[in-house]
Amino acid sequence: MLRTALRNVFAHKARLAMTALAIMLGVAFVSGTLVFGDTVTEALRGASAKSLKDVAVSVQAESQRNSDSEADDGVSTALTGDLAGKVRAVPGVTSVRPIVNGTATLAAKDGRPLNADSNWQNLATNYSPDTPNSDRDSRFPVSAGHGPTTGEEIALDRRTAEKAGYAVGDSVRFATDGPTLTKKLVGTVDTDDPRVRAGGSLALFDTRTAQQLFLQPGRFDELAVGSAPGTDNQELADTIRELLPAKGITVTSGAQLAREQAERIAEDTKELTRMLLGFAAISLFVGAFIIANTFTMLIAQRSRETALLRAIGALRRQVVRAILIEAALLGLAATAAGFAIGIGIATALRPLLDASGLSLPDGPLVISADTLIRSLVVGVGITVLAAWLPSRKAAKVAPVEALSTVDQAPPKRGMALRNSLGGLLTGAGVLSLLYVSTQKNGSDSNLYAAGLGSVLTLTGMIVIAPLLSRPLIRLAGAATTRLFGVSGKLARENALRNPRRTAATASALMIGLTLITGLSVTGNSMNAALKDAAVRGLTADYKVSNAAFGGIDPALAAKVAEVPGVAQAAPIASSTLRAGGRFASFTGADPQRLGQVSDLEFSSGSLADVGPGRIALSDKLAKTTGLSKGDTFQGTPGFGHDTKELTVVGVYRQTRVVGDALGTLTDVLPYANGGKLDSILVKAESGRTTSGLDQDIRQALGNSPLLQVQNQDQLTKAQSGLIDTMLTMMYGLLGMTVAIGVLGVINTLAMSVFERTREIGLLRAIGLDNKGVKQMVRLESVVISLFGAVLGMGTGIFLAWACGSLSRTSLPQYEIVLPWARLGLFLLIGLAIGVLAAVWPARRAARLNMLRAINAQ
């Protein structure tokens, strides 16, 4: 039986090629993901260990707001120069490097801000020489020029300088949390910091300047302690900990810090790996349909051979074993090829990321034995499991029955049982999703119900697909018959001949298109809701804000109002308000100015009624607190404990512009973060084009890189940009699933052509020409592909509708919005898949020799 299995593999190489290709792509996805994940983890660990190689003990301090007679309110820490001196005097300590950390948003040489929308990546720190007599900081090897030594100098990471277009000697513009500053670029450095290599920036200042910008003079965020060879760093950490105040300071040995960072890095990269493996699992699940379909057809075509084996003494378990050995050999060969391709994918990802600006630290390609074993288990295991049911079916067929025919119709009882099971699964899934559609919050229980309902519905649709194939394919077949005559009718009958096979082939496409359609509909609906929320109630032409969420100096509102072309500038402040036992957002503005830049819808009261101590509530907050117009209550603005008597003078429809509650600027600004404005809403003069006004506003405010001046289109794009990026990534990952589905169509058609060799010969003999044969195969492919596309798109739309309601608590504007153009494109893709998948099988069918085909057994 082993020799029989080997002979069957080599005898049907062409028929197994597409199946092997599907397995190979799935394994390549899995192995490439695992190799890339291990490589990234190891590279990041190496970079982390390199940055900590000279750190025996790390003393870190918590940032806190500080106010005393010598300094204004600002950020400070408990680490001082005196404490650094105490640490330096501890026996075994050879060096103490004081570190100051912050963020600085740079302006490129052409004026554009760098990473304005991700300020956390704009790192800044002090350039601290290794020793008092040295000008070298070993953390940042200098690539050109020298490190900063005075308050007028700055150094940049080499990649940052190249991206911004700066060279040594240029003046660099940047902002931290205030006005724009300018310093001379005196050098560029190299760094392995993953945040910088992932597209962030790095700015270096001398220590005194860094303290002035980010902390206070004489204060530090961290002390990096070096030790003498042979020192027990854990004991050294314990000794240092006893010297320092316990409050606000953490002392950690370098080895422990490295372990913690390594664990954090491993956990972070695991999340990415898990996500990619989830998509790989979907691809392999689709591949399993192709494998099962292939072996079902091969077994039907070899039924006479199987019968002869049974007749000469082969047992049922030997037949099963032979088919499973054949599947294992096929899986093994495909896994080996897929693993090699996966290594190539992981290798190619690094230069691709480098080209996109998201470079990784240098490190070797990591190919672990665990990755190899997982790939083998996945590739061979799924192939054998997918072939198990067809092998059982082959073993149960009596020899006499197998010798009498090569393709029996599925038993009625089997189809009835399958249809019943599919109906139960689909019904259970639909009922779960209908329940989910009535919910409006994404609680854990609702998310579990949505996930379970989606899985049940999709599984049920796969099981019940043969039953659905008949009416849908007959409908499509009516069109093909009318348009293409006999070829169209034959294509319809061929697709209906074996509903299970047709359904299995279409299901491979259906799964991919269900997920893609569901993502598209959900993403489009979310985008529409976010765009509506971003500008609802806003009639201003521009919104001025701080990209780093650091707020805006209230004095700048007057400067904006003085810009030629500005009709009104309304300063907006934000804080919190505790009302009726609930926390809510509290917006402060001048009612008269706000009325000119917004359009609030009041159900009671009006904007003119708002004044000192008189506030308006959103309809949502009024409902949850039970307050209405005319009520007086004790409210707590900000995060303090002082309460104020507030009177409700109106209720309005909630918008993002205003939020939960609205008061005057004087009521809110004292409780805002740092006493700063949240934004300034700008209305242009009537008849004045807004083109160029944003630049005039920027110039009036010092053209700070932190400054954002956005019109309504830019506000909506900012809301939808992340979703569009995620959708693009998801499309790319799910594209592999669709590609494997295409292979399934090609494979089924090719094997179907072989199975119908004699039939095609007879059709040729009674007058069907080569063009008609090709057309018949093409139309059959198109009908199957469109069946899968329609089923997948319909299921995807239903899943998106049912699950989308869970976002209504956080996004009340959410409504299902179908992306008709994209759905039409998906339908065209289904049509194109049908046409392209039939190219090779149709040519093969047309080239059959008529007489040989008629005599084929």
Side-chain angles (χ1 to χ4, degrees), residues 135-471:
D135 60 356
R136 175 180 174 274
D137 186 336
S138 56
R139 298 174 300 164
F140 307 112
V142 175
S143 57
H146 61 84
T149 56
T150 71
E152 302 304 317
E153 296 177 344
I154 187 174
L156 299 177
D157 153 60
R158 177 170 51 84
R159 288 185 177 86
T160 300
E162 291 172 355
K163 184 165 61 174
Y166 287 121
V168 174
D170 289 342
S171 293
V172 177
R173 293 176 54 252
F174 67 95
T176 56
D177 190 23
T180 305
L181 302 172
T182 303
K183 296 187 184 297
K184 182 180 179 181
L185 181 64
V186 295
T188 59
V189 302
D190 291 319
T191 179
D192 287 323
D193 193 305
R195 293 170 295 179
V196 180
R197 296 182 68 95
S201 62
L202 173 65
L204 301 173
F205 307 93
D206 69 283
T207 299
R208 180 175 295 179
T209 302
Q211 289 173 330
Q212 291 172 346
L213 291 173
F214 308 121
L215 291 174
Q216 290 179 355
R219 303 284 176 163
F220 306 100
D221 288 302
E222 182 182 357
L223 300 178
V225 181
S227 65
T231 303
D232 187 325
N233 291 332
Q234 189 58 54
E235 289 185 4
L236 182 61
D238 294 338
T239 302
I240 293 173
R241 189 178 295 110
E242 292 175 359
L243 288 176
L244 303 177
K247 186 177 180 181
I249 295 179
T250 303
V251 181
T252 311
S253 69
Q256 182 181 346
L257 190 62
R259 284 195 300 272
E260 291 174 357
Q261 288 192 5
E263 290 173 0
R264 189 163 54 249
I265 287 168
E267 192 59 37
D268 290 343
T269 52
K270 273 182 183 178
E271 292 301 319
L272 174 62
T273 303
R274 285 173 188 149
M275 183 192 73
L276 293 175
L277 285 176
F279 286 95
I282 295 170
S283 298
L284 287 165
F285 182 63
V286 172
F289 282 89
I290 300 174
I291 299 166
N293 225 12
T294 299
F295 277 94
T296 299
M297 296 178 74
L298 279 175
I299 288 165
Q301 292 168 13
R302 298 201 315 246
S303 58
R304 193 180 298 270
E305 176 186 326
T306 304
L308 288 172
L309 288 172
R310 293 290 312 283
I312 61 175
L315 301 176
R316 287 187 175 183
R317 64 173 179 271
Q318 289 179 306
V319 173
V320 171
R321 193 183 306 152
I323 294 172
L324 294 182
I325 291 172
E326 184 179 345
L329 292 172
L330 175 66
L332 187 62
T335 298
F339 188 76
I341 293 173
I343 293 174
I345 292 172
T347 304
L349 280 175
R350 183 186 292 274
L352 285 175
L353 290 174
D354 288 342
S356 66
L358 301 176
S359 57
L360 296 171
D362 295 330
L365 191 70
V366 179
I367 306 172
S368 65
D370 182 60
T371 298
L372 177 59
I373 292 171
R374 285 190 189 185
S375 300
L376 282 171
V377 169
V378 166
V380 177
I382 287 180
T383 307
V384 171
L385 284 174
W388 183 72
L389 284 177
S391 69
R392 297 273 297 174
K393 181 181 177 182
K396 288 179 180 179
V397 175
V400 174
E401 294 177 4
L403 287 170
S404 65
T405 182
V406 295
D407 190 16
Q408 292 182 339
K412 296 294 182 184
R413 182 181 177 185
M415 290 296 290
L417 180 62
R418 175 172 179 153
N419 293 339
S420 300
L421 178 61
L424 288 173
L425 289 172
T426 306
V430 169
L431 287 175
S432 297
L433 291 174
L434 288 177
Y435 163 76
V436 168
S437 69
T438 63
Q439 307 303 304
K440 295 184 179 181
N441 65 83
S443 64
D444 288 345
S445 59
N446 288 336
L447 288 175
Y448 290 142
L452 178 62
S454 298
V455 170
L456 288 174
T457 302
L458 185 56
T459 305
M461 293 299 290
I462 293 170
V463 175
I464 208 173
L467 179 65
L468 298 175
S469 67
R470 291 189 178 277

Side-chain angles (χ1 to χ4, degrees), residues 110-124:
D110 60 5
R112 60 187 171 84
L114 290 183
N115 307 324
D117 55 348
S118 54
N119 191 58
W120 61 273
Q121 284 186 294
N122 298 327
L123 309 180

Side-chain angles (χ1 to χ4, degrees), residues 574-578 583-584 636-642 671-673:
S574 295
S575 184
T576 60
L577 175 68
R578 187 171 180 82
F583 273 105
T636 307
F639 291 100
H641 301 286
D642 297 333
Y671 305 98
N673 184 23

Side-chain angles (χ1 to χ4, degrees), residues 622-814:
K623 182 178 180 181
T624 56
T625 59
L627 296 171
S628 60
K629 181 183 176 182
D631 290 342
T632 299
F633 68 98
Q634 295 294 319
T636 307
F639 291 100
H641 301 286
D642 297 333
T643 60
K644 295 178 64 175
E645 186 174 272
L646 300 172
T647 302
V648 179
V649 295
V651 176
Y652 58 88
R653 184 180 180 186
Q654 185 173 11
T655 69
R656 284 201 176 186
V657 177
V658 177
D660 297 321
L662 172 65
T664 63
L665 199 61
T666 54
D667 280 340
V668 178
L669 189 58
Y671 305 98
N673 184 23
K676 293 184 177 182
L677 299 175
D678 179 67
S679 61
I680 303 172
L681 301 180
V682 180
K683 185 73 173 178
E685 290 180 351
S686 179
R688 157 76 192 266
T689 174
T690 57
S691 176
L693 186 57
D694 56 338
Q695 292 302 320
D696 294 341
I697 294 172
R698 291 185 64 88
Q699 291 296 333
L701 300 182
N703 202 17
S704 169
L706 285 173
L707 194 67
Q708 283 185 321
V709 183
Q710 300 167 293
N711 59 28
Q712 291 203 6
D713 288 340
Q714 290 167 332
L715 286 171
T716 57
K717 286 179 182 178
Q719 293 291 331
S720 61
L722 180 60
I723 291 179
D724 289 338
T725 301
M726 290 182 63
L727 282 178
T728 301
M729 182 182 69
M730 296 294 185
Y731 289 156
L733 293 171
L734 290 173
M736 180 73 77
T737 303
V738 177
I740 293 175
V742 174
L743 294 177
V745 179
I746 297 173
N747 201 37
T748 299
L749 288 174
M751 297 187 73
S752 181
V753 166
F754 178 84
E755 188 178 83
R756 301 200 305 261
T757 298
R758 187 174 185 181
E759 176 186 319
I760 292 171
L762 290 171
L763 290 172
R764 292 281 309 282
I766 62 175
L768 191 65
D769 58 10
N770 285 350
K771 181 179 178 182
V773 171
K774 287 182 179 179
Q775 195 173 72
M776 176 186 70
V777 176
R778 268 193 223 106
L779 291 174
E780 181 182 352
S781 175
V782 168
V783 166
I784 293 173
S785 297
L786 286 179
F787 168 57
V790 169
L791 211 58
M793 290 169 63
T795 306
I797 291 171
F798 175 70
L799 296 182
W801 169 79
C803 299
S805 62
L806 298 181
S807 64
R808 288 200 181 106
T809 298
S810 57
L811 195 60
Q813 294 83 3
Y814 182 89

